[in-house]
Amino acid sequence: MDKQVEQQILSSLMQIQGTLDEHSNILNEHSKILNEHSEILKEHSKLLKEHSNILESHDAKLQSHSDMLKEHGRMLSSLRTGQEELKAEIDGMKLENAKEFGEIKSRISIVEAQNDALKDETWQNKIEIYRFKKLFGF
């Protein structure tokens, strides 16, 4: 082979070697960048796991609060029912008391009328007694 061809081949091989070295350097830089991104992704993965745990904890608390709210709702409903029953009972007692008061008022009115009649009758009797005393001289 001719020396010139050998020279060209060697020159081409050196250029190829230079290009391969450049590509190796680029691949090494990309490899470093990928490693850095992997570390960042690992950190983000940890954060996401922590947030997932926090969310699960909050979900459990919300469920607990929801259960408590339901129980409080049932208690309030029971209290309302009890209050309504007591109110109905009190209203019944008021009606009964009003009836009794009306009856008592009616009786008092009758007693007052009887008292007035008795008073008039007693007065009439006193007048008659006084007249008899005068007549008989007592």
Side-chain angles (χ1 to χ4, degrees), residues 111-122:
V111 167
E112 285 176 345
Q114 288 173 344
N115 191 26
D116 287 344
L118 187 60
K119 194 168 147 184
D120 289 344
E121 190 177 321
T122 303

Side-chain angles (χ1 to χ4, degrees), residues 35-48:
N35 285 338
E36 289 173 6
H37 287 180
S38 287
E39 288 301 315
I40 290 171
L41 284 173
K42 284 179 186 177
E43 289 177 26
H44 287 180
S45 181
K46 273 191 219 174
L47 286 173
L48 285 172

Side-chain angles (χ1 to χ4, degrees), residues 25-128:
N25 288 337
I26 291 171
L27 283 174
N28 283 337
E29 287 177 26
H30 285 181
S31 193
K32 285 179 188 176
I33 291 170
L34 282 174
N35 285 338
E36 289 173 6
H37 287 180
S38 287
E39 288 301 315
I40 290 171
L41 284 173
K42 284 179 186 177
E43 289 177 26
H44 287 180
S45 181
K46 273 191 219 174
L47 286 173
L48 285 172
K49 283 180 184 177
E50 289 174 13
H51 288 179
S52 179
N53 290 338
I54 290 170
L55 284 173
E56 287 175 7
S57 170
H58 287 177
D59 186 45
K61 287 178 184 177
L62 282 173
Q63 184 63 39
S64 172
H65 288 290
S66 175
D67 292 344
M68 286 193 314
L69 282 174
K70 286 177 186 174
E71 180 63 25
H72 288 170
R74 285 191 288 270
M75 290 168 60
L76 284 173
S77 178
S78 295
L79 285 171
R80 278 190 196 130
T81 302
Q83 283 179 336
E84 288 168 0
E85 289 175 6
L86 286 173
K87 187 179 183 303
E89 190 175 326
I90 289 171
D91 288 346
M93 291 171 73
K94 284 179 182 177
L95 259 171
E96 191 176 312
N97 286 344
K99 285 179 186 176
E100 287 179 12
F101 181 72
E103 289 175 11
I104 291 171
K105 202 171 176 183
S106 173
R107 287 182 188 164
I108 288 174
S109 177
I110 291 170
V111 167
E112 285 176 345
Q114 288 173 344
N115 191 26
D116 287 344
L118 187 60
K119 194 168 147 184
D120 289 344
E121 190 177 321
T122 303
W123 182 252
Q124 288 299 326
N125 285 342
K126 280 186 177 182
I127 291 173
E128 296 266 332

Side-chain angles (χ1 to χ4, degrees), residues 123-138:
W123 182 252
Q124 288 299 326
N125 285 342
K126 280 186 177 182
I127 291 173
E128 296 266 332
I129 291 170
Y130 184 71
R131 225 185 280 152
F132 279 123
K133 278 185 179 181
K134 247 187 166 191
L135 238 166
F136 293 116
F138 289 123

